[in-house]
């Protein structure tokens, strides 16, 4: 009852302002206070208020503040991260930002930037997946399949949505459409539970407005990209079915989360999508029944990491979700791009079939790792041509130029194609370990190999190697003990235990005893978890929390157990302290 009352209060306190509609693309003013790069657009403003300010918790106060001082601004809605989306309604972007930033109660005010898919799609026939297995520049994936195939892991593809494809259908789980603008979504409404890709074609130049330099967006008509479906195929296309392509984590599930439509997608929508995909709460959106352990974002725009993105990413990582992003396709320092420049992400550069940094790929100190991104043409070839389709990344696609047509396979190039290689690898790791997002990133970097060619500007740790990484993370360390027997946790009942008998250890346990826990539970905030030493001493690993509504506890805890004798029976003690949600201990382990 106590937790249910808390939930009701939380919902009541997060009521959104009614009657608001997301402003579509607006021309950006070239004011010094507005850090919009050439080609960048903003659709509105995102304002975060300081803790303690009335506007940080009250939509009414935020609305009054936005409409004050002669402004015509209007609060649209509150984000899951706490900021509010403010529609400009004709006001100058630069002046509006300056006004908010001068307010001592405002923590940050930033443009609600339009993001675009980071790929360079071109049509051609299906050839071969060199990117998975070629010795020179492939990612050495087949050798990893003997260890892991991604079973039990959901990967959220935050992108254009999903267009039906028989080489993916068996691995699709329900997603969500986070596009607020019905015009951009092309489905006649705003947010809904149907993430179907309606096509992102643009019929005429300038249909999406103008950029910061007054140039038309787009510069010429564009066809639908079906970008999210191409990305999804690289991660988890069905394998062993005598057709199409092989997914890197072919037993993982894909959760399509639609944020990119006609003219791109808003930062505010993408931020809420990150929160929801990772199991967080977004007001007005049903809870995610299958939270993702991996998020792939093959999208971006030119700007430094925004507070909105960083807050959403931090929340996702805190819930145990690894966030993988594309570096960008501008042959530029990735530090200038968003969300690639954010912290707590795996930032992926693109490499070519020869093992060089792809000519278009961003680079720099912010890059974590490189993965195959392909090149459908040489850097010196005419832009838009397809001269080397055999050197591209082949994946699932659709023939429709505007609305969906027939399923097909086509080659794309881009850091958008590199990122899902890493997302697939993360899914393989997550299916076999309880490593944290930071530990997964470290494992991928530590087991990378040097690029066969060159990388001017910096490509992180090198080319990811799937087999080497899986071998390293699944090797049984000395002093490793595990119990994989399931133990049911009574709902709001007495504590239960699972035991591990430790033998062959000399002396006491270490100061850094690692306790790996995998508990499947529909509301992990219910759970209190303790480690019990052989002499009965207890070490608290996790307290209950009425505000933690995410599912499952998959984590590794570090315990100073140096006062305990190592040999003996250790126990994991778990108690469900509230009613209505159930679960079980799936497995747990000790590493001395």
């Amino acid at each position: 009852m106590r937790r249910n009352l808390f939930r009701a209060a939380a919902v009541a306190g997060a009521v959104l302002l009614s009657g608001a509609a997301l402003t579509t693309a607006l021309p950006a003013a070239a004011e010094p206070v507005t850090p919009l790069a050439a080609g960048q657009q903003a659709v509105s403003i995102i304002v975060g208020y300081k803790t303690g300010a009335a506007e940080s918790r009250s939509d009414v106060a935020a609305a009054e503040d936005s409409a004050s001082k002669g402004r015509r601004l209007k609060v649209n809605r509150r984000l899951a991260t706490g900021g509010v989306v403010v529609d400009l309604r004709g006001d100058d972007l630069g002046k509006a930002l300056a006004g908010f930033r001068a307010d001592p109660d405002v923590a940050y005010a930033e443009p609600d930037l339009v993001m675009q898919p980071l790929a360079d799609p071109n049509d051609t026939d299906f050839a071969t997946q060199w990117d998975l297995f070629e010795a020179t520049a492939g990612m050495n994936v087949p050798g990893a399949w003997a260890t892991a195939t991604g079973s039990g892991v959901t990967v959220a593809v935050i992108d254009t949505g999903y267009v039906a494809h028989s080489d993916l259908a068996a691995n699709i789980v329900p997603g969500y459409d986070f596009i607020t603008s019905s015009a951009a979504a092309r489905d006649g409404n705003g947010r809904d539970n149907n993430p179907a890709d309606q096509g992102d074609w643009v019929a005429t130049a300038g249909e999406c407005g103008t950029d910061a330099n007054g140039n038309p967006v787009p510069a010429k008509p564009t066809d639908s990209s079906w970008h999210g479906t191409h990305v999804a195929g690289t991660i988890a296309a069905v394998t062993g079915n005598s057709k199409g392509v092989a997914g890197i984590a072919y037993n993982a599930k894909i959760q399509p989360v639609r944020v990119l439509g006609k003219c791109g997608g808003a930062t505010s929508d993408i931020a809420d999508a990150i929160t929801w995909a990772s199991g967080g709460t977004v007001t007005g959106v049903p809870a995610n029944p299958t939270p993702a352990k991996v998020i792939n974002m093959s999208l971006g725009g030119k700007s430094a990491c925004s507070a909105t993105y960083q807050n959403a990413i931090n929340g996702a990582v805190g819930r145990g979700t690894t966030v993988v992003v594309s570096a960008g396709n501008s042959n530029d320092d990735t530090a200038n791009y968003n969300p690639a420049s954010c912290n707590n992400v795996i930032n992926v550069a693109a490499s070519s079939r020869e093992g060089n940094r792809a000519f278009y790929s961003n680079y720099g100190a912010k890059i974590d790792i490189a993965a195959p991104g392909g090149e459908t043409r040489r850097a010196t070839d005419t832009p838009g041509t397809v001269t080397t389709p055999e050197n591209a990344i082949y994946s699932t696609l659709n023939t429709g130029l505007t609305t969906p047509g027939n399923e097909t396979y086509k080659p794309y190039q881009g850091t958008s194609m590199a990122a899902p290689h890493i997302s697939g690898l993360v899914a393989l790791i997550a299916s076999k370990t309880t490593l944290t997002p930071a530990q997964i990133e470290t494992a991928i970097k530590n087991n990378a190999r040097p690029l066969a060619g060159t990388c001017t500007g910096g490509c992180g740790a090198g080319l990811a190697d799937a087999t080497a990484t899986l071998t390293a993370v699944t090797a049984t360390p000395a002093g490793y003990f595990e119990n994989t027997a399931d133990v049911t946790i009574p709902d709001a009942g007495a504590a239960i235990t699972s035991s591990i008998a430790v033998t062959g250890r000399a002396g006491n346990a270490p100061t850094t005893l690692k306790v790996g826990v995998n508990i499947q539970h529909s509301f992990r905030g219910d759970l209190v978890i303790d480690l019990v030493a052989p002499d009965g001493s207890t070490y608290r690993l996790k307290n209950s929390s009425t505000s933690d509504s995410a599912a499952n506890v998959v984590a590794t805890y570090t315990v100073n157990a140096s006062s305990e004798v190592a040999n003996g029976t250790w126990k994991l003690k778990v108690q469900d302290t509230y009613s209505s949600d159930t679960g079980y201990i799936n497995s747990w382990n000790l590493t001395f």
Side-chain angles (χ1 to χ4, degrees):
M1 175 64 73
R2 177 173 147 204
R3 190 192 65 215
N4 292 335
L5 287 175
F6 177 89
R7 284 174 170 167
V11 171
V15 175
L16 295 178
L17 297 173
S18 62
L22 176 65
T23 302
T24 54
L26 292 172
E31 299 263 342
V33 73
T34 310
L36 292 185
Q40 185 63 67
Q41 293 174 285
V43 296
S44 46
I45 293 174
I46 302 173
V47 181
Y49 289 94
K50 294 178 181 178
T51 302
E55 294 88 348
S56 69
R57 58 188 181 274
S58 167
D59 290 337
V60 173
E64 291 176 349
D65 182 59
S66 294
S68 66
K69 306 178 183 70
R71 294 184 295 224
R72 293 177 291 173
L73 309 176
K74 181 179 181 181
V75 169
N76 181 304
R77 67 188 187 281
R78 189 175 294 274
L79 296 176
T81 55
V84 292
V85 179
V86 178
D87 292 341
L88 291 169
R89 304 181 74 186
D91 269 27
D92 180 83
L93 175 62
K95 292 179 180 178
L97 281 172
F100 279 116
R101 290 170 179 172
D103 187 336
D105 287 333
V106 171
Y108 61 87
E110 55 199 23
D112 190 0
L113 298 175
V114 176
M115 299 289 135
Q116 302 292 342
L118 296 177
D120 185 8
N122 293 278
D123 297 343
T124 191
D125 296 327
F126 174 77
T128 184
Q129 289 178 276
W130 61 267
D131 47 308
L132 301 190
F133 60 81
E134 280 192 354
T136 299
M139 217 174 75
N140 199 13
V141 173
W145 287 335
T147 303
T149 59
S151 297
V153 175
T154 297
V155 182
V157 176
I158 297 181
D159 212 293
T160 63
Y162 166 66
V163 62
H165 200 293
S166 63
D167 211 7
L168 272 170
N171 284 340
I172 299 295
V173 297
Y176 208 82
D177 180 358
F178 274 89
I179 300 177
T180 305
S181 165
S182 59
R186 284 197 162 111
D187 57 5
N189 54 34
R191 294 180 173 181
D192 58 42
N193 63 359
N194 181 11
D197 192 339
Q198 306 293 334
D200 56 359
W201 84 93
V202 179
T204 60
E207 193 171 342
C208 299
T210 56
D211 64 20
N213 289 338
N215 299 314
V217 178
K220 60 181 180 180
T222 60
D223 295 334
S224 290
S225 67
W226 316 116
H227 186 269
T229 301
H230 196 281
V231 167
T234 296
I235 298 169
V238 176
T239 302
N241 60 346
S242 301
K243 67 177 296 182
V245 294
I248 291 171
Y250 58 78
N251 278 333
K253 298 300 183 183
I254 294 292
Q255 183 169 70
V257 184
R258 189 171 182 235
V259 297
L260 302 176
K262 176 185 175 182
C263 302
T267 294
S268 53
D269 287 340
I270 298 168
D272 275 352
I274 294 169
T275 299
W276 181 84
S278 60
T281 300
V282 177
T283 302
V285 179
N288 185 352
T290 53
K293 293 298 295 180
V294 190
I295 285 175
N296 187 95
M297 289 197 292
S298 291
L299 50 80
K302 189 168 186 180
S303 70
C305 178
S306 65
T308 300
Y309 267 129
Q310 193 63 71
N311 290 340
I313 289 166
N314 290 347
V317 172
R319 288 182 283 273
T321 301
T322 301
V323 180
V324 180
V325 302
S326 298
N329 296 336
S330 301
N331 189 27
D332 192 7
D333 191 333
T334 194
N336 300 321
Y337 294 80
N338 187 16
S341 60
C342 293
N343 296 323
N344 289 334
V345 301
I346 301 179
N347 184 343
V348 188
S351 56
S352 71
R353 192 171 184 176
E354 295 81 10
N356 302 309
R357 175 172 66 84
F359 70 86
Y360 54 80
S361 177
N362 285 354
Y363 50 81
K366 281 279 189 177
I367 299 292
D368 293 305
I369 197 74
E375 288 183 344
T376 59
R377 67 177 178 87
R378 306 294 182 185
T380 54
D381 293 334
T382 303
T385 60
V386 179
T387 56
T388 54
E390 69 278 8
N391 294 339
I393 306 301
Y394 291 87
S395 189
T396 45
L397 212 69
N398 193 275
T399 61
L401 298 181
T402 54
T403 57
N406 299 318
E407 66 177 48
T408 189
Y409 304 85
K410 291 186 180 181
Y412 276 13
Q413 70 174 25
T415 55
S416 276
M417 286 58 259
H421 283 77
I422 300 302
S423 292
L425 175 53
V426 173
L428 295 180
I429 298 169
S431 70
K432 287 295 181 179
T433 74
T434 58
L435 297 179
T436 66
Q439 290 169 332
I440 288 174
E441 178 181 338
T442 297
I444 293 173
K445 291 178 178 180
N446 286 349
N447 293 283
R449 67 183 194 268
L451 287 167
T454 61
C455 175
T456 55
C459 287
L463 179 66
D465 188 305
T467 298
T469 303
L470 263 293
T471 299
V473 299
T474 58
T476 302
Y480 178 85
F481 301 86
E482 183 178 30
N483 187 336
T484 60
D486 293 352
V487 180
T488 300
I489 304 169
D491 186 27
I496 51 89
T497 61
S498 175
S499 300
I500 291 177
V502 175
T503 60
R505 304 300 299 173
N508 286 6
T511 58
T512 57
L513 177 65
K514 302 296 183 182
V515 186
V517 176
N518 185 326
I519 296 175
Q520 301 297 300
H521 196 277
S522 53
F523 194 101
R524 69 186 182 197
D526 286 0
L527 302 179
V528 175
I529 306 174
D530 292 300
L531 175 68
V532 183
D535 68 355
S537 300
T538 61
Y539 297 83
R540 178 58 49 90
L541 303 181
K542 177 190 173 300
N543 288 311
S544 62
S545 171
T546 56
S547 62
D548 186 359
S549 61
N552 308 330
V553 180
V554 182
T556 300
Y557 301 95
T558 301
V559 174
N560 182 354
S562 57
S563 63
E564 308 292 343
V565 174
N567 288 336
T569 299
W570 295 76
K571 296 178 181 179
L572 187 72
K573 179 181 176 182
V574 182
Q575 184 172 16
D576 186 333
T577 58
Y578 298 109
S579 61
S580 302
D581 294 278
T582 59
Y584 62 95
I585 299 175
N586 183 48
S587 65
W588 73 287
N589 58 72
L590 294 170
T591 304
F592 289 83

